[in-house]
Amino acid sequence: MASAKAYRLSCSILGHALDVRGLAASVFPEGGFVSVSRDKTAKAWEPSKSPNGGFVEMQCMKGHNNFVTCVCIIAPSDAHPEGLIATGGNDHNICVFSPCKADPLYILKGHKHTVCSLSAGKFGTLLSGSWDTTAKVWLNNKCMMTLTGHTGSVWAVKILPEQGLMLTGSADKTIKLWKAGRCERTFTGHEDCVRGFAVVNDQEFLSCSNDSSIRRWLVTGECLEVYYGHTNFIYTLAVFPNGQDFISAGEDRSLRIWKKGECCQTLRLPAQSVWCCCILDNGDVVAGASDGVIRVFTESEDRMASAEDLQAFEDELSKATISSKTGELGDIKIEELPGREHLLEPGTREGQTRLIKDGEKVEAFQWSISDGRWIKIGDVVGSSGGTQNTSGKVLYEGKEFDFVFTIDVNEGGPSLKLPYNVTDDPWLTAHNFLQKNDLSPMFLDQVANFIIENTKGVTLGSETGHSDPFTGANRYVPSVAEGGSPAAADPFTGAGRYIPGSDSSEAASTRASDPFTGSSAYFSNAHHSTSTQSKNIYFPKTDAVTFDQANTTQILAKMKELNRGAPDDHRLTDDAIQKLEKLLSAITGLSHAETPAAEQIDLLWKTTYWPEDIVFPALDILRLAIRHPVVNEQLCHEDVRVQFCNHLLNLMNPQGKAANQMLVLRTLCNCFAAKRGQELLMSLRETVMSRAMELKGVCNKNVHIALATLVLNFAGSLYPVPDLEGKAQCLSVASMLLETVQDKEAVFRLLVALGTTVTNDATAKGLARSLGVKSQIAKYASVSDPAKLAECCRLLLDEL
């Protein structure tokens, strides 16, 4: 007789046409749940009122144009007393539904690839993870901040009970703990992709991974325990209300029940992948699988399926096929396997697998402690399936694909990888592959037919909404230069600090005086304050701060010196040097009669492609030139803007020369001096600031000052714009820089950036408070030198 403490099938729900990828217990209807599927739908299920029990479909929700991957429930609020349902999809979007409506209330856009994980917190906060390697925090239908730091797809996210704490798990094998938008800690231990989280209590959580293990962690970083039992990828976890016991599911066709740290029951399903699971209010567990069926299991005899249905489920399970390469089965030598008499011996543990030879056939049985017998779980075949090497799913760049082909384009050249899922359009995949690798479109038919032939014609439809499956996003990723560079001051002025208000005739600024000179007073908008009271002369700062100082004589002398030793294909002629000299005179105001010529600007741009160790004079001229409206228009025009920005970001990589990093940052700051450059940087804000932040660890105060100035210029440009995501990024970046920056001038500019961002914006102020900005900056309120630092700090504290 079945034990009352053993889970048995309660019902099977046939409601989806394809894989069930996500499940979540619902607030409304009570006792129900929500499922999402590759069939592009989400469905709300409520307990059936019929004598036979089970569940009935309450609502079918549609809003995604590609398969749906994850789901979570947003807690009830005054505006939505039944709560909300959030779903993430392969179309890069998050749809938010009311439980009783088929169409989404709103759609959140911002991710650049598949949204594969969601978690809801207090006050309507939503956290999303994506294949684009980022996580995003959403509130009131807006993206408040983007969490960057992972190098692979963010497969798992979870908001912890303590306000402000968030978890992200990635294909880079790490877990990161975030507090108010900053990474507080990185957990290492898993040996493969981190796929799921479950909260145990305020101080502990569980994680599961493709390495077939489950880990129990303290939020302080210690791994308390590692649980083994699964033999393949583990996709999902859920914790029982007692906070100790939990369930897990994965690629080994099993749903496992864990009590007191031990796997006490293994429920096999007649499907290869058990993608998701959840626990209902009554303690029943729900599993969704690759066969499109939702199955509910229960400990309650009252809710168990009939004896006929239980036998039918066991029969279905016995007819399944299992790969001979499944890790749990080990190497199989049919001639050495025992016969059915081996089943007379009892098993030694729950879920133990035993292989039996029946003629030429191999059958797999699993030991059930609760039943006290061996249950057939399938016939063993020689097809693939099991681990990353044998499961039929291939991991490439942190994402799952049905196929990853190796393509040899040129004899003797490097091979290229072409990942493909059977739900993809082979022609679109071929197009993206050619575009990604700069190959001729003439190969489109050849590549598409190659895909079709090598997938045996399995194409499940031409889906729309796919993006490039190789990069995971459109972000430019530069090459990594070898070696590093020691900290360096400005190679031309020799100054350790930028002083835009200096009296140098060679550094005369075309801008009005500003609060960055260190002088006792700041003139802003023709108003001069001699008061020592709290008159705010610092922020909001809406006009661009630029780097104008230069010793043109030294710049030209250095360029000529380096030109003599430049490679032949880069060496400039005497005529070219003269043209650059005329350009420098025109852009620094030494020659009022001349305007920069297109030929001169093209020559300068070509010179910025000099080798990394000698390019800095050209970058310094570019830094000065980009302020000129003619140069700004030509280099930041939409026809060349991407090339311009990519080249600069490449030169700014963290492994490069510190002088180049500083000069590129200064060039980006000076782009704000004219409309076209400002438009360019605002359109690429997220990428530019994210890439610039990679330099925060560089030990060079000039780099830090330039970084702070870049944030300030973005803040100034965002001040009149209702761009909450942009302001959130400015606040987050400034807050993170304050953790590492020591130079007082850089700190001052960051304070002005923060003040500019929060002025006249209540939402931005609230976000700054949640980031802990007040506690970060309080120490600067008592700084005596320079006085402007303390004064600006006190004004900012008053503003917050």
Side-chain angles (χ1 to χ4, degrees), residues 17 32 38 53 78 144 182 208 265 276 285 291 308 314 330 333 337 358 405 455 613 618 654 660 679-680 752:
R38 288 178 69 100
D78 291 340
M144 302 302 294
R182 293 193 303 274
C208 63
Q265 189 175 359
C276 50
V285 299
D291 60 357
E308 293 78 9
E314 188 173 321
K333 296 181 180 179
L337 292 177
D358 184 8
F405 300 110
T455 56
D613 57 339
N660 294 345
E679 291 174 348
L680 165 63
V752 177

Side-chain angles (χ1 to χ4, degrees), residues 50 238 383 456 558 560 633 637 694 696 725 729 743:
S50 72
S383 60
K456 300 179 175 63
K558 179 60 69 172
K560 291 176 182 178
E633 172 70 26
H637 190 272
E694 295 175 6
K696 70 176 182 177
E725 182 177 358
Q729 188 183 24
D743 183 83

Side-chain angles (χ1 to χ4, degrees), residues 250-367:
E251 185 67 18
D252 57 4
R253 308 192 312 137
S254 75
L255 171 69
R256 296 180 187 243
I257 315 295
W258 301 79
K259 293 186 177 181
K260 298 180 180 180
E262 299 290 336
C263 178
C264 66
Q265 189 175 359
T266 301
L267 296 165
R268 297 284 180 176
L269 274 66
Q272 180 60 54
S273 307
V274 186
W275 291 117
C276 50
C277 63
C278 71
I279 300 172
L280 302 182
D281 294 340
N282 60 7
D284 290 357
V285 299
V286 188
S290 54
D291 60 357
V293 180
I294 302 167
R295 295 177 176 87
V296 183
F297 297 89
T298 184
E299 282 185 316
S300 170
E301 292 186 349
D302 293 339
R303 294 193 296 273
M304 286 182 186
S306 65
E308 293 78 9
D309 288 343
L310 288 173
Q311 185 60 50
F313 173 68
E314 188 173 321
D315 292 343
E316 183 183 13
L317 187 63
S318 69
K319 295 175 183 176
T321 57
I322 306 173
S323 167
S324 61
K325 299 177 183 178
T326 299
E328 185 178 10
L329 304 182
D331 294 329
I332 298 174
K333 296 181 180 179
I334 296 180
E335 65 277 7
E336 297 179 4
L337 292 177
R340 284 189 170 272
E341 67 279 0
H342 198 45
L343 297 178
L344 298 176
E345 301 175 11
T348 58
R349 59 180 173 82
E350 170 67 27
Q352 179 184 356
T353 303
R354 183 164 287 179
L355 301 182
I356 298 300
K357 179 174 64 174
D358 184 8
E360 296 300 317
K361 184 170 64 173
V362 177
E363 299 175 331
F365 289 80
Q366 174 182 290
W367 177 252

Side-chain angles (χ1 to χ4, degrees), residues 213 282 295 394 402 450 477 479 592 620 690 713 728 740 743 745:
S213 76
N282 60 7
R295 295 177 176 87
V394 185
D402 296 317
F450 170 87
V477 182
S479 60
H592 299 286
D620 210 41
S690 296
N713 284 347
T740 57
D743 183 83
E745 181 67 19

